[in-house]
């Protein structure tokens, strides 16, 4: 099928990459990204984060999970290369990036939400200690939103008397 005809976007569907920051390829190489993958990953990172892409990844290597084709294992390897002993399975940056990755993966399969218990189990599958607590911290940090199912027995909330934009709306 031609580009844009449905399905996953391919390289031809991507917007042109901005200039790749000079320090980005060297950072990716230092992170252990295979040399053949550096140009495409650098272009994707520059497209997503612009001129500050290297600083984003140096501060939080797990942000690599936001880039196409990056797996949690690869992001963990890169984080260990860049952070050395500071790259543990309980790092809150890792949990936030894993949450976003899991939710985005679900979205590609048409899911608009994920059960918190299932998300915590998935985090546990990636070695996150105390996954329920880690998920709560990720939610608190804004990496995911929790929505509560309305009580099916509760009456619907009444419409506001002043729908014209009064205070408290």
């Amino acid at each position: 099928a031609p580009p844009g005809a449905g399905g996953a976007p391919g390289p031809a569907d991507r917007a042109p990459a901005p200039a790749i920051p000079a320090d980005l390829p060297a950072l990716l190489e230092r992170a252990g990204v295979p040399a053949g993958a550096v140009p495409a990953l650098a272009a994707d990172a520059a497209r997503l984060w612009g001129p500050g892409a290297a600083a984003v990844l140096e501060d939080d290597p797990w942000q690599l999970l936001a880039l196409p084709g990056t797996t949690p294992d690869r992001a963990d390897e890169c984080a260990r290369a860049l952070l050395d002993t500071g790259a543990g399975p309980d790092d809150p940056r890792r949990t936030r990036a894993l949450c976003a990755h899991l939710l985005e993966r679900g979205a590609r399969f048409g899911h608009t939400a994920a059960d918190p218990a299932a998300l915590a189990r998935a985090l546990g599958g990636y070695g996150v200690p105390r996954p329920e607590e880690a998920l709560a911290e990720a939610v608190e940090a804004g990496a995911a939103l929790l929505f509560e199912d309305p009580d099916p027995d509760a009456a619907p909330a009444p419409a506001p008397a002043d729908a014209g934009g009064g205070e408290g709306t």
Side-chain angles (χ1 to χ4, degrees):
D13 295 326
R14 293 183 182 153
I20 294 173
D23 54 348
L24 186 56
L27 176 77
L28 292 171
E29 289 172 10
R30 211 176 66 215
V33 173
V38 167
L41 203 57
D44 286 338
R47 190 177 296 106
L48 184 60
W49 298 302
V56 168
L57 294 174
E58 199 155 29
D59 181 53
D60 183 354
W62 288 284
Q63 288 301 309
L64 281 168
L65 283 172
L67 302 178
T70 305
T71 65
D73 288 341
R74 173 58 71 181
D76 283 340
E77 289 172 15
C78 291
R80 282 190 297 273
L82 293 175
L83 301 174
D84 194 29
T85 59
D90 59 341
D91 190 302
R93 297 171 293 185
R94 180 177 186 260
T95 302
R96 289 190 300 265
L98 282 170
C99 280
H101 172 76
L102 291 166
L103 291 169
E104 287 171 9
R105 188 174 72 184
R108 284 193 302 269
F109 291 102
H111 301 288
T112 57
D115 175 58
L119 192 53
R121 281 191 305 276
L123 289 172
Y126 284 111
V128 172
R130 301 174 314 282
E132 292 84 8
E133 291 175 32
L135 177 58
E137 290 171 6
V139 167
E140 191 172 308
L145 297 174
L146 285 183
F147 296 97
E148 293 187 33
D149 286 332
D151 181 354
D153 298 326
D162 175 18
E167 287 188 343
T169 58

